[in-house]
Amino acid sequence: MLWSDTLNPHGRAISLGAYALAAVLAVSELAILALALHPNVHADYRAYYIDRTTTCLNRDAIGSYSLGQTVSFRSDGAKRVAGMKVCGWSGPAADGTHSLGETSRLRLQIPPLRDGLKATLQMAAVIRPPQMTQRVIISVHGVSLHKVTLSGKQPITVSFVIPHAAFSDASTFEMTFDYLDGIPPSQAASDIYKRSIKLVSFRLDAI
C-alpha cells in the first residue's frame, strides 16, 4: 500500500486545498505582473508618467475669460489665471508666469464666434549663457499658428491672428506653447531647468 493511500479523506482535502491556493496565488501574481508591464491607465497618465512623451500633464482645467480683456500673468493676476493654466507652468512671480518643461498649455471658455481672433501676448525669454534666445511655437488645438524667437530680459509683445477654423469645432479654446530651447540641466541652473519663457500678459480680441 502506498503511503499516500494511508491519508484520510480530511488530509487529502487539505492537500488539494493547498495546491488550489498555490495555483490561485500564481495566477494572481501573473496577472499583477501583466498589469505592471501593460497598465490600463488614461492616455494622459501614460504619456507623462510611463512613456514620458510629454512634460505637460493634462488636468481638467477651464478658465473663465472675457474677450477684449488683458489678463496679467504676474503675481497680481494669480487668482484670475489659475483656472486657465492646464500644465507646463510654475509661479506666477513678479516678472510673469514661468514655463516649465517642453510644453505649456492654456485652456479657457469663450463665447461662440463667427470669425477669428487676434491674440496679443507679452512674453520674455528665460536666458542663461550660452543660451541667449528661446524659440517658441504657438498652436491652437494642434494647429501651428505662430513662431517667435525671444531674446533679452525685457518682455516683447507678440500678436497673431487665429483663424476661426482652428477652434470652431471645439467646446473650449486651447493654446499650446512648445519650446525648442529650454534651459538644459546643470548644477548652476538647477532652479531654472527646462524653463524657456515668462508669460506676462494674455489677450484675445474678436476680429
Side-chain angles (χ1 to χ4, degrees):
M1 178 180 293
L2 297 176
W3 177 80
S4 58
D5 292 339
T6 63
L7 292 176
N8 58 39
H10 181 68
R12 286 197 296 272
I14 293 176
S15 298
L16 291 174
Y19 287 130
L21 179 60
V24 170
L25 291 175
V27 171
S28 299
E29 290 179 358
L30 288 174
I32 293 172
L33 178 60
L35 185 60
L37 294 175
H38 305 284
N40 182 20
V41 296
H42 192 277
D44 293 330
Y45 182 98
R46 175 180 290 278
Y48 185 83
Y49 287 107
I50 300 174
D51 298 335
R52 298 189 181 277
T53 55
T54 182
T55 60
C56 195
L57 179 60
N58 184 50
R59 73 183 184 97
D60 188 17
I62 303 176
S64 60
Y65 177 76
S66 298
L67 293 177
Q69 290 191 345
T70 299
V71 179
S72 172
F73 274 73
R74 301 178 190 266
S75 301
D76 58 353
K79 292 183 179 180
R80 179 69 187 276
V81 304
M84 297 171 60
K85 298 188 295 183
V86 178
C87 57
W89 303 104
S90 66
D95 58 353
T97 295
H98 291 225
S99 67
L100 184 62
E102 299 169 356
T103 301
S104 302
R105 264 186 283 170
L106 299 174
R107 187 183 298 135
L108 50 142
Q109 194 73 49
I110 60 173
L113 298 171
R114 293 184 177 180
D115 298 307
L117 293 165
K118 179 184 177 182
T120 304
L121 314 174
Q122 268 200 321
M123 301 187 295
V126 176
I127 59 175
R128 188 177 188 88
Q131 185 66 51
M132 301 301 293
T133 61
Q134 292 289 344
R135 293 173 295 166
V136 186
I137 300 174
I138 304 175
S139 307
V140 172
H141 293 286
V143 179
S144 179
L145 296 177
H146 193 73
K147 298 179 181 179
V148 61
T149 299
L150 304 175
S151 60
K153 296 182 178 180
Q154 295 302 315
I156 67 168
T157 299
V158 177
S159 296
F160 56 95
V161 172
I162 304 170
H164 185 252
F167 60 88
S168 60
D169 294 332
S171 59
T172 57
F173 180 89
E174 186 165 301
M175 181 177 288
T176 302
F177 302 75
D178 288 308
Y179 313 112
L180 306 181
D181 307 303
I183 303 296
S186 70
Q187 291 184 347
S190 60
D191 60 331
I192 58 172
Y193 167 50
K194 285 291 185 181
R195 302 201 182 199
S196 300
I197 70 164
K198 293 170 280 188
L199 180 59
V200 180
S201 66
F202 174 93
R203 180 186 177 106
L204 291 177
D205 289 285
I207 55 175

